[in-house]
Amino acid sequence: AIGIDLGTTNTAAAQQVGDLPKIVDFQGERTTRSAVAFTEGGDRVIVGNEGTGYLELDPEATFESVKRDMGTDTTYEVPTDGYTMTEHTPETVSALVLRKVLDTAEASLGTRPDEAVVTVPADFPEPARRATERAAEYAGVDVLRLLPEPSAACAAYGLRERDDPIETVLVYDLGGGTFDVSVVEIVPEADLYEVQGTDGRQRLGGDDFDERLLEHVAEEFEAETGIDVRESHQERERVRQAVKSAKHTLSNASE
């Protein structure tokens, strides 16, 4: 079995080896982007970190943040030639990400996992949960359990094993697409975490910060030059990648 954090922006996975988890290595990285690019008329599929490179080249055939659409009727159309379109769903795109995780895990760990524990937001709607299970089924792995992300966070930080016992913890989870705050009760004698309450926004995260920054830069640029870069899908994505890079730089810079 393998544990998978199928995230809005990035996906990570680990397998327990002895008493410790072994993180799946994605070409030197601990995570891979939850991105899928359909290139060459849909004949070639590029998944993960490599797929994000096609956002500027072919943004209409590159998909990210599909987790926010899980459990909905959303479809993504990919032009296969000049006359026809192929439809994909959030489940089928997520399945491609999960399949990459399984392929990488097999190469990294020496065996292909056939069962998985997959983390989901604590307040993930039931249709989104079922969609996540279908995506795993399409990828060829059985879901042992959908684990609430706040419980996974508490387990990752080993809060049950502390010398000074903690009974209740607030988990603040701000990701690429969602924002959740959960109150989790720790029950050492039962060896479990119980989510007592959660609240948040299904569509509030790094993607939304990027969109707001993009709008700000586009408005400033249009005021200075009279050119609206948002009219071109390709130019819009170039600006998005630029503001995202600036945001990342500010994570390590003071100004």
Side-chain angles (χ1 to χ4, degrees):
I2 192 172
I4 302 174
D5 175 9
L6 179 61
T8 305
T9 307
N10 296 298
T11 292
Q15 191 172 48
Q16 186 164 324
V17 179
D19 293 331
L20 297 174
K22 181 176 181 181
I23 306 296
V24 173
D25 185 318
F26 296 94
Q27 296 179 327
E29 301 289 339
R30 293 164 64 88
T31 63
T32 188
R33 294 297 292 271
S34 305
V36 177
F38 298 91
T39 66
E40 300 172 13
D43 292 336
R44 187 174 177 222
V45 181
I46 302 174
V47 184
N49 298 330
E50 301 88 347
T52 57
Y54 286 83
L55 275 170
E56 292 183 27
L57 297 174
D58 194 359
E60 294 183 357
T62 306
F63 303 100
E64 284 192 310
S65 304
V66 301
K67 182 176 178 177
R68 305 216 290 190
D69 295 328
M70 293 291 272
T72 69
D73 296 330
T74 302
T75 57
Y76 315 113
E77 291 188 333
V78 177
T80 54
D81 54 42
Y83 305 98
T84 60
M85 306 285 283
T86 300
E87 282 194 349
H88 296 272
T89 66
E91 293 98 310
T92 57
V93 173
S94 295
L96 292 169
V97 176
L98 289 171
R99 193 172 298 162
K100 178 181 177 66
V101 169
L102 296 172
D103 291 343
T104 308
E106 183 176 14
S108 174
L109 305 172
T111 180
R112 188 174 186 83
D114 55 9
E115 295 177 323
V117 173
V118 183
T119 62
V120 293
D123 60 348
F124 220 29
E126 191 63 24
R129 291 172 179 266
R130 301 289 77 81
T132 302
E133 291 178 330
R134 286 195 298 275
E137 180 183 342
Y138 298 158
V141 65
D142 292 329
V143 175
L144 291 173
R145 181 182 177 187
L146 295 176
L147 179 66
E149 290 170 358
S151 299
C154 290
Y157 279 91
L159 297 185
R160 277 201 305 259
E161 290 78 30
R162 290 170 60 100
D163 293 332
D164 51 332
I166 297 175
E167 296 179 354
T168 307
V169 63
L170 182 74
V171 179
Y172 173 106
D173 184 0
L174 179 60
T178 59
F179 172 48
D180 299 302
V181 175
S182 304
V183 176
V184 182
E185 182 182 356
I186 300 172
V187 188
E189 60 273 14
D191 197 36
L192 57 79
Y193 303 101
E194 290 185 344
V195 179
Q196 299 298 324
T198 187
D199 199 0
R201 300 280 183 88
Q202 282 297 109
R203 292 184 174 271
L204 176 61
D207 288 349
D208 302 285
F209 301 160
D210 297 341
E211 183 67 22
R212 185 64 194 92
L213 286 167
L214 184 156
E215 291 294 326
H216 170 71
V217 170
E219 289 166 6
E220 292 286 318
F221 189 73
E222 184 178 14
E224 291 180 10
T225 66
I227 300 171
D228 187 356
V229 296
R230 293 165 294 189
E231 293 179 353
S232 165
H233 200 49
Q234 197 167 30
E235 292 299 321
R236 183 185 180 91
E237 285 306 317
R238 286 184 64 189
V239 176
R240 185 190 305 279
Q241 296 307 312
V243 298
K244 185 181 292 189
S245 176
K247 182 187 71 174
H248 292 169
T249 298
L250 284 170
S251 295
N252 300 310
S254 59
E255 60 182 27

